[in-house]
Amino acid sequence: MSAPDSAPASPLASAAQAPPAAPAPAVGGVQTVRRVITYLLLLVMVIIAAMGLSGLLERALGPDRSIVSYDNYGLAQNLAFSLIAGPLAALLWWLVWRTSASARDRASVAWPVYLVITSTIALITFTTSLFGWAAQALAGDWQPGGLATGIVWGLVWLWHYWMWRHPAKGPTRLVGVAPAIASLVGLTYGVGGLVFSLSGLIDSTVDAFGQLVVSGSTWEPIVQPLVWAVGGGILWWWHWFRVGVCKQTTGFANVLLVFITGFAAFAVFAFGVTLTLATILELVTGSTDPLAVLLDPLGIAIACAAFGALTLVYHVRVVAAHPPVIASATRLVTSGVALAFAATGVGVTVNALLATFASTLVADNIRNLLLGGISALLVGGALWWVTWRPVSASSPGRVATPGRRVYLVVIFGLSALVALITLLVIGFQLFSFLLDSANGGSFIDRSRQAIGLLAATVLVAAYHFAIWRSDRSNSIGHEQVRRIDRVTLVTASGGTDAADAIRAATGARVTVLRRADAVHGEADGAALAKALDGVEAGHVLVVAGAKSAVEVIRLGD
């Protein structure tokens, strides 16, 4: 019997002869693009639908309670926005919400970014419209547009707030960003409303020469800002205490705390004190302006100084409960703000002194300009001296402050940039004066603002460049003996104290990664820093284990 013409091939032979499988597509990139496009479309549809519904509700709440009116073009736009964009937004939301329970979608950055952007837009639109409508309603002015916009966008905000807090489909990343922004919005409304209310009260009292006369035109500037203050206070209190923004230790929450304490509250306080001092100096120097004109800025000045100080004192206590690096960053930011006030005072003072050689300003204007510059210089200089402490600026403890080098480079770079720009302006004015002097005006009159700004920025740049060079020369020896450049710390706790200890012991840049599982008996910062004694590497991985166990792994470049 003859053999078969062809024997069946073995599985190995078949596998060897099979063509190579095509590489799997990069699903992650496609899914990311899909999420970004979907969320962007959903954001646009939600905004358009909310605009249309607000317009329809405004017509329904109007004096005639009629949706159909002579404005057919506006009605057609509102109907198109509502009946076309609304169903599209509902369809897109259903597609998004159906897949939001998966771990991949919940961990995607696009999901919390969409919620942050949309909820912030809805919150600001809802609060400004509703608070503005309430303030106008107190004065007897019925504005249905503000109420309609507030209702619709308030529902949009509640909808996204519910999605944000959903236990099964809410985002797992950037979870504290939206509440932190909402608390900042509420704080801004609250402090701003109190400032304008107290300012109106002081202005009314001054106008009545000590006797407050309650009338329609008098109580409105006092009571209307209180609507914003109450609404903003409730919004801030809910997110700050009930949601727990005050206890957040994330990077965004820390940056927000530094911004509020070191920049916003401190700047409002410094502005109020500067304006108050300028007003007092004008009264003392015997200005010829009417008393009502001299006292006009007193209300806003006192209000800014008072509530700026209260906000600053409260947040300074909050900063004190955080790690030292937050206090250090806050101090650097306040130093920069105070320096900006002092430099502005120098520039305005030089401008006023140069104005004495010009004939365009009268004596009263020159005096007011000079007193304003002196006030800014005195207040900003005093605050800068307290926050920066120049006597001990080069001490070893101050030189090792986190972020100090970045602060010095930023201040020096910005000052040098402004100085170069003002130098170009002065050169332009000089050549313009030489080529076209017949148009009138001296060279000093044309360029005195730029000369004043140049003098201030040159002083600031020179001082901070000298401090930077001194710090660099003092730290050269430390940089030469540094054996570790980067440390990645894996810990179950917050890791802030441990990171500070490692940074202080090695001088390395420390990155903290949070473990998902709990670890009992984890080593403290001192033990982690001690485990790095004698280790030399560009990048080191430190894993804090249970029962004070520490694993140190040298990583490749």
Side-chain angles (χ1 to χ4, degrees):
M1 184 171 60
S2 62
D5 295 337
S6 60
S10 64
L12 293 177
S14 300
Q17 296 175 1
V27 180
V30 175
Q31 293 298 327
T32 300
V33 174
R34 186 264 304 172
R35 293 189 190 97
V36 171
I37 294 177
T38 303
Y39 293 140
L40 183 59
L41 289 175
L42 179 59
L43 172 63
V44 174
M45 291 298 103
V46 168
I47 293 176
I48 295 176
M51 293 172 58
L53 292 175
S54 299
L56 293 179
L57 185 59
E58 179 183 359
R59 293 170 178 270
L61 296 176
D64 52 358
R65 304 293 193 274
S66 176
I67 295 181
V68 180
S69 64
Y70 61 89
D71 186 12
N72 294 327
Y73 177 82
L75 178 60
Q77 177 178 286
N78 294 332
L79 290 174
F81 285 2
S82 303
L83 300 180
I84 296 178
L88 290 176
L91 176 62
L92 288 170
W93 174 80
W94 178 78
L95 294 175
V96 168
W97 193 247
R98 186 184 59 176
T99 60
S100 294
S102 64
R104 178 177 295 180
D105 282 81
R106 293 190 67 188
S108 172
V109 179
W111 179 225
V113 167
Y114 162 77
L115 290 177
V116 168
I117 294 176
T118 311
S119 61
T120 302
I121 293 174
L123 176 64
I124 294 177
T125 307
F126 144 62
T127 51
T128 54
S129 302
L130 191 62
F131 296 165
W133 167 81
Q136 293 294 330
L138 288 177
D141 186 10
W142 175 260
Q143 297 290 340
L147 179 59
T149 305
I151 292 175
V152 172
W153 282 99
L155 295 175
V156 173
W157 177 71
L158 289 175
W159 172 33
H160 286 78
Y161 184 85
W162 169 76
M163 289 190 290
W164 186 275
R165 305 282 293 182
H166 197 278
K169 297 187 177 183
T172 58
R173 303 176 66 178
L174 305 177
V175 293
V177 174
I181 295 177
S183 68
L184 176 62
V185 172
L187 181 64
T188 303
Y189 291 159
V191 175
L194 291 175
V195 165
F196 284 104
S197 179
L198 180 59
S199 173
L201 177 61
I202 295 175
D203 292 340
S204 300
T205 305
V206 170
D207 292 341
F209 297 100
Q211 294 181 357
L212 182 61
V213 179
V214 179
S215 62
S217 60
T218 303
W219 65 263
E220 289 178 7
I222 302 173
V223 177
Q224 285 182 330
L226 289 179
V227 175
W228 293 81
V230 173
I234 295 174
L235 185 65
W236 172 80
W237 173 83
W238 177 265
H239 289 89
W240 187 256
F241 291 107
R242 294 298 300 270
V243 181
V245 175
C246 60
K247 299 179 181 178
Q248 290 183 6
T249 58
T250 60
F252 184 83
N254 291 335
V255 171
L256 184 65
L257 182 60
V258 172
F259 170 77
I260 294 174
T261 310
F263 181 80
F266 188 81
V268 171
F269 167 71
F271 170 77
V273 175
T274 301
L275 192 56
T276 302
L277 180 59
T279 304
I280 295 174
L281 290 178
E282 289 183 4
L283 290 173
V284 173
T285 54
S287 176
T288 58
D289 292 335
L291 184 61
V293 176
L294 293 177
L295 297 179
D296 183 64
L298 191 61
I300 192 69
I302 295 177
C304 286
F307 290 108
L310 290 176
T311 307
L312 180 62
V313 169
Y314 172 77
H315 286 87
V316 165
R317 295 182 178 180
V318 178
V319 170
H322 282 68
V325 65
I326 306 300
S328 175
T330 303
R331 191 177 300 109
L332 291 176
V333 174
T334 54
S335 300
V337 174
L339 182 66
F341 274 87
T344 302
V346 171
V348 174
T349 301
V350 173
N351 182 10
L353 293 177
L354 293 176
T356 58
F357 299 98
S359 58
T360 57
L361 292 178
V362 296
D364 287 343
N365 293 334
I366 296 176
R367 183 178 63 249
N368 295 338
L369 190 65
L370 179 62
L371 293 178
I374 292 175
S375 301
L377 178 58
L378 291 177
V379 174
L383 293 175
W384 176 78
W385 190 276
V386 172
T387 54
W388 178 250
R389 300 194 301 268
V391 176
S392 60
S394 298
S395 61
R398 296 281 303 280
V399 173
T401 301
R404 175 184 168 100
R405 287 190 178 184
V406 176
Y407 167 80
L408 292 175
V409 171
V410 169
I411 295 297
F412 167 71
L414 291 178
S415 302
L417 178 62
V418 175
L420 290 175
I421 294 175
T422 52
L423 189 61
L424 292 175
V425 173
I426 293 173
F428 167 77
Q429 294 295 346
L430 175 61
F431 291 117
S432 176
F433 173 75
L434 295 176
L435 297 175
D436 192 17
S437 59
N439 285 335
S442 63
F443 167 71
I444 294 178
D445 188 30
R446 293 183 179 187
S447 58
R448 54 188 174 83
Q449 295 92 344
I451 294 175
L453 186 59
L454 178 64
T457 52
V458 165
L459 290 175
V460 172
Y463 172 79
H464 288 84
F465 180 72
I467 293 294
W468 177 78
R469 290 196 61 183
S470 176
D471 291 358
R472 187 170 179 268
S473 62
N474 292 334
S475 60
I476 287 179
H478 178 68
E479 291 178 352
Q480 290 176 345
V481 300
R482 180 191 294 180
R483 295 184 174 88
I484 302 175
D485 293 330
R486 293 177 57 197
V487 174
T488 299
L489 174 62
V490 180
T491 174
S493 60
T496 304
D497 296 336
D500 293 339
I502 294 175
R503 190 181 297 110
T506 63
R509 293 180 288 119
V510 181
T511 303
V512 179
L513 300 180
R514 188 78 174 269
R515 297 180 61 146
D517 55 337
V519 175
H520 301 286
E522 192 176 74
D524 57 3
L528 294 174
K530 186 177 180 180
L532 294 173
D533 291 344
V535 177
E536 296 185 10
H539 190 186
V540 177
L541 175 65
V542 179
V543 181
K547 299 181 180 180
S548 301
V550 180
E551 185 177 3
V552 178
I553 305 174
R554 295 175 177 84
L555 302 178
D557 295 334

